[in-house]
Amino acid sequence: MLPVMAWRPLVAAFSITCILVYTWLGNLVPNHQTFSGHGSLQPIPKKIWQINFNHPHYARLKEFVATWKDGNPAYEHTLLDKQAGEDIVRKHYGEHSEPSKTYLELGSTILRADYLRYLVLAAEGGFYSDLDTHVVKPLDEWYSEPPNRPVRALIGLEYDQLGGPRLIKGMYMPLQFCQWTLAISAHHPLMVSMVNSVTRDIQKLARSHEVALPNLSPTNEEVLRTTGPVQWSREVFAYLSSTAGTEVTHLNLTGLKEPKLFGDVMILPIDAFASNLGHSGSRGSVSNETLMWHTFQGAWKVEAPKPTSGSS
């Protein structure tokens, strides 16, 4: 056995290592958050968040925004523009955390719009929905909690392959969850994990493009996989699996006809947020299960380069 004096440098080195690791982890989550289990989570707050980074069709989307604000008068409605988004990130994440630095340096509007919804919901919680959506049922009617089963997140399906071949281009998993509309409690581990993953993968994407964050210009597929529904779906499945104590896959949810609770996360069937898809088993019109309506007027997709004169 080593003498006591010989152990002291080793103990000191170990302590310094622990401090460095703790500091690094602290940079990945909002600077005020600590987690002591689901019991510390509060109900989904009565807050509605939407984002407008100079949407080209905002003038005609205002009536949709009004359905969220005016149709839910008991809820605080916040429409975040570029400056307000940066302000709220600084408020909750400081200036020097990895999420804050990554978000504030990021130049891509679509990556920012995706990223901001996760940052805000991780910090404050509430309901988020894209500008090109409108409410069908008041938010207070969206869910009810079973006895002794608190609901701390509402997540809907955007795609269900239903056990067959891939139905449409742009879907990369047999079942995907939508992130055009979602609701969650503040500080929920699922959303904090999403913030961490998006932060890491945006930085990784910039390195793969060999550009700084202000100059990052992702492809449509890179958006879907880095900040969009593919990334979100991976995080949701991972959280559901950890809650269930066994792997949860599309096989546990395909063909879902009624809400299903995994721990504190309620998964909603396709018609809740996507009844007008025309695929994935959706009805194609408003049904009794429809909670909101997505008009698919987003302006985020990158247009394919047009052929130059003389090219084939």
Side-chain angles (χ1 to χ4, degrees):
M1 177 178 289
L2 290 173
V4 173
M5 292 299 291
W7 280 104
R8 288 181 177 175
L10 297 176
V11 172
F14 177 76
S15 299
I16 292 171
T17 300
C18 289
I19 292 171
L20 291 173
V21 170
Y22 179 82
T23 302
W24 178 76
L25 289 172
N27 282 337
L28 291 179
V29 297
N31 52 17
H32 65 285
Q33 291 185 23
T34 58
F35 297 101
S36 57
H38 295 187
S40 63
L41 294 176
Q42 297 299 308
I44 300 172
K46 292 193 171 187
K47 298 179 180 181
I48 302 169
W49 304 94
Q50 296 188 278
I51 297 170
N52 180 23
F53 290 162
N54 296 318
H55 194 292
H57 309 307
Y58 182 66
R60 71 170 181 249
L61 297 178
K62 283 183 179 180
E63 60 183 282
F64 295 157
V65 173
T67 68
W68 293 95
K69 183 177 181 179
D70 301 338
N72 300 281
Y75 287 69
E76 176 187 346
H77 180 273
T78 303
L79 183 63
L80 296 168
D81 60 14
K82 180 180 178 181
Q83 186 60 57
E86 293 181 355
D87 290 345
I88 201 166
V89 168
R90 288 189 176 97
K91 173 184 175 182
H92 290 291
Y93 297 85
E95 291 280 355
H96 305 296
S97 70
E98 288 300 314
S100 182
K101 290 188 295 184
T102 303
Y103 180 81
L104 295 173
E105 291 177 17
L106 193 59
S108 166
T109 298
I110 178 53
L111 293 182
R112 269 192 162 218
D114 279 345
Y115 197 10
L116 182 59
R117 74 193 65 182
Y118 309 132
L119 291 165
V120 169
L121 290 175
E124 294 206 18
F127 292 73
Y128 169 83
S129 201
D130 283 354
L131 293 176
D132 58 345
T133 64
H134 62 84
V135 171
V136 173
K137 289 186 179 181
L139 299 186
D140 285 341
E141 299 178 17
W142 277 26
Y143 71 102
S144 57
E145 294 183 337
N148 302 314
R149 297 289 302 278
V151 174
R152 297 295 181 255
L154 288 177
I155 299 171
L157 304 185
E158 74 159 8
Y159 175 70
D160 185 353
Q161 201 162 294
L162 297 170
R166 187 168 69 168
L167 299 173
I168 59 173
K169 184 179 179 181
M171 297 296 170
Y172 299 95
M173 301 170 70
L175 185 144
Q176 292 182 190
F177 302 101
C178 82
Q179 37 85 272
W180 60 68
T181 301
L182 57 115
I184 199 163
S185 295
H187 310 168
H188 197 289
L190 167 58
M191 194 56 73
V192 172
S193 179
M194 183 64 177
V195 167
N196 295 345
S197 294
V198 168
T199 302
R200 177 198 65 220
D201 286 356
I202 287 176
Q203 294 173 350
K204 185 188 298 183
L205 185 61
R207 289 194 298 270
S208 71
H209 281 243
E210 298 182 339
V211 297
L213 287 172
N215 300 320
L216 180 59
S217 181
T219 66
N220 292 337
E221 181 176 344
E222 287 171 337
V223 172
L224 294 170
R225 292 184 178 277
T226 304
T227 61
V230 177
Q231 179 81 284
W232 175 234
S233 297
R234 286 196 296 258
E235 290 292 332
V236 173
F237 275 122
Y239 183 80
L240 299 184
S241 298
S242 68
T243 299
T246 187
E247 186 180 15
V248 175
T249 72
H250 66 283
L251 298 175
N252 301 96
L253 292 167
T254 187
L256 188 68
K257 297 300 182 185
E258 58 185 28
K260 189 170 184 177
L261 199 56
F262 292 82
D264 59 4
V265 175
M266 182 173 283
I267 304 298
L268 304 173
I270 195 77
D271 277 345
F273 292 167
S275 63
N276 59 329
L277 286 180
H279 61 73
S280 302
S282 64
R283 293 175 184 261
S285 60
V286 174
S287 71
N288 193 47
E289 290 76 33
T290 305
L291 303 179
M292 49 72 59
W293 190 265
H294 190 196
T295 64
F296 296 99
Q297 298 183 53
W300 67 271
K301 289 191 175 180
V302 179
E303 292 187 3
K306 296 180 180 179
T308 57
S309 177
S311 64
S312 58

